[in-house]
Amino acid sequence: MDVEIRLEPGRAAPKVLILTGEMNETVAELARRLSAVESRFLAGRRGDEVLLLDPAQVRRIYAQGQQVLARTEGETVLLKNRLYELEERLAGGPFLRVSHGELVNFDHVRSLDLSMAGTISLRLDNGDAAFVSRRNMGRIKSYLGI
């Protein structure tokens, strides 16, 4: 594989062009990896302050009204992204959609309450609770191996 870097004064963001004779799995994987390269932080707002959140520290991300909020150990931060965008961005990690309006970081789930018929209540390490909708029950049970 040849790699060429061309400098273009005035260009604000890098552009990657893949030239190939045929589409194959190697090229598709390369394109996928290049597309996934993004900042590892989530940008959130608290008043006039922009905060960079490490996704590993975020317990849950949820929609409330027209806003998307991220809950960390001790605070709630407003995010600019839509929930589906964050779900795509965080795919393949510990974040799973548990309901229409919520993603949960399963690295911070401490217990599950199965006592309510037809639902699972998740207790997070910061004291928050989240409920798994019936639609997402199978995926969560599969992820947890139960």
Side-chain angles (χ1 to χ4, degrees):
M1 177 182 337
D2 294 330
V3 176
E4 177 183 335
I5 298 175
R6 189 179 325 154
L7 298 177
E8 291 185 6
R11 177 174 282 282
K15 176 182 178 180
V16 177
L17 173 66
I18 300 173
L19 302 173
T20 184
E22 65 178 358
M23 186 61 151
N24 57 38
E25 187 58 37
T26 303
V27 174
E29 177 65 15
L30 180 60
R32 188 191 65 73
R33 285 182 181 218
L34 288 170
S35 296
V37 174
E38 254 187 84
S39 170
R40 68 178 194 97
F41 294 103
L42 300 176
R45 292 190 74 100
R46 183 178 53 205
D48 291 335
E49 185 178 20
V50 175
L51 303 173
L52 296 179
L53 302 173
D54 183 351
Q57 300 304 312
V58 174
R59 276 36 177 195
R60 54 193 276 255
I61 299 171
Y62 60 98
Q64 186 173 25
Q66 296 297 313
Q67 298 179 327
V68 175
L69 304 168
R71 183 88 167 113
T72 63
E73 184 174 354
E75 67 181 331
T76 304
V77 177
L78 177 66
L79 300 177
K80 69 176 183 103
N81 304 85
R82 296 192 179 271
L83 203 56
Y84 76 88
E85 294 171 334
L86 293 165
E87 181 180 22
E88 289 173 6
R89 182 172 169 189
L90 299 169
F95 281 90
L96 292 176
R97 185 177 287 265
V98 296
S99 66
H100 177 71
E102 187 165 9
L103 303 173
V104 170
N105 183 341
F106 274 77
D107 285 346
H108 294 284
V109 173
R110 293 297 164 243
S111 65
L112 289 80
D113 182 1
L114 305 172
S115 65
M116 296 190 309
T119 190
I120 298 174
S121 172
L122 306 173
R123 178 70 55 194
L124 284 80
D125 60 4
N126 66 345
D128 286 0
F131 295 92
V132 178
S133 69
R134 291 177 197 262
R135 170 181 273 171
N136 294 292
M137 192 79 68
R139 184 175 354 163
I140 301 305
K141 284 184 174 181
S142 174
Y143 178 81
L144 297 172
I146 57 175

